[in-house]
Structure formats: C-alpha cells, structure tokens
Amino acid sequence: MYDLIIKNGYVVSPSSTVQCDVAVQGRMIAGLGHYEETEGRRVIDASGKYVLPGVIEAHMHCMAPFQGALGANSFYEQSISAAFGGVTMYMDFANMGKGDSPYKQALARADEMKESAIDYSVHGKFVESTPEAIADIEKMAESGIPTFKMFMTYKKEGVMSDDETMLKVFEKAKQVNGLPMVHCESNGIAEINIEKCEAKQDFSWVNFAKCKPVLCEAEAFARAVYFAEYVGNALLVVHTTNGEALNTARRAHGKGLPIYVETGPHYLTLFDDLYQGENGHLAICSPPLRTPKEAQELWEGLQDGTILLTGSDDCTFDVDEKSMFLEKNPDGTWKQDFRKVVNGMSGIEIRLPLLLSEGVSKGRISINKVCELTSTNIAKIYGCYPQKGIIAPGSDADLVLVDMEKEVTLSKDVLHNNISYCLHEGFKVKGYPVMTISKGKVIVENGEFKGKQGDGEFIKRKIHPVYLERYGLN
C-alpha cells in the first residue's frame, strides 16, 4: 500500500511528457507507471494536469538587512509564499561584512532558516580574500555548501569583492568543486554615473536605470568570464538582463567553458517604463529593469540554451521599507532620490506562473524547458540532483501540479507575500500551479496552505564534477 498515488497526470521531465501515475511512499517517489486506486492510502486525480518536479528557488534574499531594511517576510512566511508558487526548496545567502567568517555566517544563516516549511540550503558570500576567509571555502564545501556569491559593485556599502578577491575565490573554488556566483555590474561605471546625477541634483527614478545601463552589466560580465577562463573554474552569473552579456556567454560556451547563466522572470515581463511613475521606486532593483528589446534577447537565450537557469531574486519589501528614507514634496508627492530606495522586488511565488504563461502558453518554450529552468538544471548545477529536480524512483516526492488552462489575474490580493502592492497588478497569466507536494505531503491544496512551520530540512549539496569541468548539464 502506497501512501499517495497521483493518477492520470502528464508527468514532465526535461526530455519527455508521459501520461502515467506517480506512487509515493513516505517522503520518496516509489515508482512511475499505472496503479489501481486501491493501492494508495490517498489518491489524487490529476487528469488534465501536468505534474512537474517541485520548483527550486536558488536565488532569494529573505530577512537580509539592506540599507536599514529587513524585508516583509520571515523564513516561514517566505516558505508559504513559495509553496503557493510550486516551490518545494529554496536557498538564501549568508549575511556578510568585512571581518566575518564566511563559514560561520553560512551556518548561522542555515540556523535562521530552520523555521521554514519547505527544504532549504544556503550560499556563502565573500567580500574579502583574507587567508582565513579563503580557508572557509573548503569548510563550506565539506558541510554541503559548495556555492558562494560575490558582488562586483556596492563598494560604498562594503560588500563588493575586488578583482583580487574574485580571482582568489575562483582558484580555491576550483580545488574543492565549488561554484562561485557573481552579481555583475561595473562599480566604476555605476558610481561615475551617480556622481553625474549628484552634479545635476537629479535623482529621479528613471536615472537609476540610466546609471546602470546595459554596458555597466556587460563589462562586469565579460570581466568575470575572462577571470574564470584564466583560472579554469566554473562560474554562475545571476540575474542576467541583456544580449550583450549573453553574447559573451556564447563565446565562452563555444570554447566549452562552464559558464552558467541565470535570468529572472521580472526581466522577461517588466520594463523600465515603471520608473516613470510616481511610485517608480517600488520597481527599483539591481540590475534595473530594461526594455522589451532586452527581454526578447533573453527569450532567445532561453530558447537556444545560453540561459540554463532562472531565479526570482526575490527581495520583498513593503511600501514602508521601500520608502523609509524618502521625503515628500509640499504637494505630497515623493521627492525622488533613487539613492535612498531599498533595492529589490518580490517574485518567488510568480516565477513558475510567468514562465508557464509567457513561455509555454505563448509558444516560446516547452513545458519541458520550464521543468529544466525551474528545477532540474538548478538541482544539477547547485548539487542536489537527483534527490531534487526530477520525478524518478528514489527522488524526494517534491511535486507541483499545474493546470495549463487556469487563468489568473495577478494582484496583491492573489499573492501571499505580505506586501500591499504588486508590480504585476492586472497581469493575466494562463497556466498556474494548483497543488504543491513536499516530501510526499500536500502543502498547498484548493488555495489553502497545509504545511507546517519547521518541516523544512537543510539539504547538503555536492556538485558533480562533470558540470564544473565543461559546459552542459546533460
């Protein structure tokens, strides 16, 4: 007798879509095939639905102090919002400052995440390359934390990694099968442009995007890739927004270099015209939103395999935190000053729906590609495959049932992210998750959250060396 049988659904993998049943025993998938209803303690009829491996969110920022703000959600609340978006595992970043131990900060972050209702892991972070910090890379890898992030900007905020730090981290990462992640924006270009705004005393929302143009990102992207080529290590570039950067990645891929590229659905669906409104500060994120031209370049990158991963870069702040340092004009409007706005936007709950709707329903990509971009590829490159990221016997029973005919109009009232606005307000999507299953337990059903605080487990990760030696995840 199986604990759970999901019958009649279309089971999705990167390579196929097969109508069959999924049998679950305990926390694991026991088998795929055809089962009688009498063989299951509970049977879920998934007729007409697609069954995908649970979404993995490897790029979010929750309870992360930034510019004096902490964010709208606790990790438990974040796990609820995530689960409604089909997410069954997420990863966050250690909080780091100069003098901190990357290893100790990563463990502290994991401890903070224990309240999560879904499984979780942690990325380390580097802001300097002292001998003690570099030695922590091996400790993290041995503890199941083989990924660590560096920022190529935010020098004034004290979190930028300089070129020497990047090279030293790259070298050590290569030795221990670790994977550096980089936020690519040229600090020099951004800071000089901000100085020009200061000279003119013009800090309007639209100037935020102008201070960080495409070439600001593309220069840093190319520099990071050249560093990785020089050292010979694998590299993951997060939240890529434009074709200039993708062309650098294509050059690297042509040489077989293991350069992995991530983008986020907000760069596919939101544009810089949002900065023109009174509340344009709510859309400030880094890198900034671009134009439909760059979005089309990203879709092409998804289609041709230049981009193999997606992440929401969820960094959820309500209006009070986004506006906490701003002043008002005499007429009650905001005195625009992008320097005083906390960067970040929500997205963990809508990543899968946006890719299903804008990708699958509009014929841009297949549902199999969505499976790769939201789960399988992420599990592989971040080192938790095949425990996660695939519907196969022996894998965790992390599943999301999707109704490709379900239409939803996104709004703050539909989502569960604890904020009073929605940048996708009125955006109509076709294709939506209707049930989420974590380790064999139904945690979202009929619009109701049924998970439990603290049910999430820390997942130790180890990246297969083949993914770090040459480009590709097959």
Side-chain angles (χ1 to χ4, degrees), residues 391-413:
I391 301 175
S395 298
D396 282 352
D398 291 350
L399 307 165
V400 54
L401 274 61
V402 165
D403 183 348
M404 286 304 302
E405 298 303 314
K406 183 172 183 177
E407 297 182 345
V408 174
T409 300
L410 299 179
S411 74
K412 62 182 177 58
D413 298 321

Side-chain angles (χ1 to χ4, degrees), residues 233-244:
N233 64 285
L235 178 67
L236 196 158
V237 184
V238 297
H239 50 46
T240 303
T241 74
N242 63 83
E244 286 285 341

Side-chain angles (χ1 to χ4, degrees), residues 57 263-270 289 298-299 310-313 347-348 350-355 358 424:
E57 180 57 77
T263 195
H266 47 302
Y267 296 117
L268 299 167
T269 56
L270 298 177
L289 300 176
L298 294 177
W299 282 113
T310 60
S312 70
D313 194 12
I348 196 168
I350 57 176
R351 174 168 150 241
L352 177 61
L354 288 174
L355 288 169
E358 297 303 294
H424 283 88

Side-chain angles (χ1 to χ4, degrees), residues 7 45 60 96 122 132 190 197 212 228 307 313 351 367 417 420 456 459:
K7 287 191 64 64
D45 184 6
M60 71 174 198
M96 275 294 297
V122 180
E132 295 80 10
C197 291
K212 295 183 170 188
I307 303 172
D313 194 12
R351 174 168 150 241
I367 198 165
N417 52 21
S420 57
I459 303 298

Side-chain angles (χ1 to χ4, degrees), residues 276-433:
Q276 297 173 8
E278 161 70 4
N279 292 313
H281 63 300
L282 299 178
I284 286 181
C285 61
S286 291
L289 300 176
R290 307 266 185 222
T291 73
K293 172 182 177 293
E294 281 77 41
Q296 178 57 34
E297 292 167 352
L298 294 177
W299 282 113
E300 291 168 2
L302 292 168
Q303 291 161 352
D304 68 17
T306 305
I307 303 172
L308 290 183
L309 306 98
T310 60
S312 70
D313 194 12
D314 185 287
C315 196
T316 302
F317 299 103
D318 206 353
V319 174
D320 57 346
E321 287 192 303
K322 293 287 283 189
S323 312
M324 64 190 298
F325 300 114
L326 294 175
E327 301 173 7
K328 289 285 187 76
N329 292 310
D331 63 359
T333 60
W334 292 115
K335 184 177 181 180
Q336 296 190 16
D337 190 340
F338 65 78
R339 301 171 304 170
K340 298 179 180 180
V341 177
V342 181
N343 284 218
M345 64 173 62
S346 181
I348 196 168
E349 188 174 343
I350 57 176
R351 174 168 150 241
L352 177 61
L354 288 174
L355 288 169
L356 291 172
S357 181
E358 297 303 294
V360 180
S361 293
K362 292 191 175 179
R364 290 182 171 115
I365 55 176
S366 68
I367 198 165
N368 310 92
K369 175 74 78 171
V370 170
C371 173
E372 289 184 331
L373 292 168
T374 61
S375 189
T376 309
N377 287 354
I378 296 168
K380 287 180 176 180
I381 194 59
Y382 285 102
C384 52
Y385 181 88
Q387 179 182 359
K388 307 289 187 182
I390 194 72
I391 301 175
S395 298
D396 282 352
D398 291 350
L399 307 165
V400 54
L401 274 61
V402 165
D403 183 348
M404 286 304 302
E405 298 303 314
K406 183 172 183 177
E407 297 182 345
V408 174
T409 300
L410 299 179
S411 74
K412 62 182 177 58
D413 298 321
V414 167
L415 303 178
H416 304 81
N417 52 21
N418 286 338
I419 58 174
S420 57
Y421 66 97
C422 174
L423 292 173
H424 283 88
E425 189 76 34
F427 197 102
K428 295 180 179 180
V429 295
K430 183 178 181 182
Y432 214 79

Side-chain angles (χ1 to χ4, degrees), residues 3-66:
D3 292 325
L4 175 66
I5 295 175
I6 302 166
K7 287 191 64 64
N8 306 317
Y10 296 100
V11 177
V12 180
S13 74
S15 59
S16 65
T17 302
V18 179
Q19 187 172 22
C20 67
D21 306 335
V22 181
V24 175
Q25 190 68 40
R27 65 174 289 158
M28 294 169 57
I29 295 170
L32 304 176
H34 297 283
Y35 300 90
E36 299 298 327
E37 292 191 7
T38 55
E39 295 182 76
R41 291 185 176 88
R42 180 179 179 186
V43 176
I44 296 171
D45 184 6
S47 296
K49 309 294 192 301
Y50 291 84
V51 185
L52 281 75
V55 173
I56 303 171
E57 180 57 77
H59 189 171
M60 71 174 198
H61 306 271
C62 181
M63 295 183 68
F66 186 70

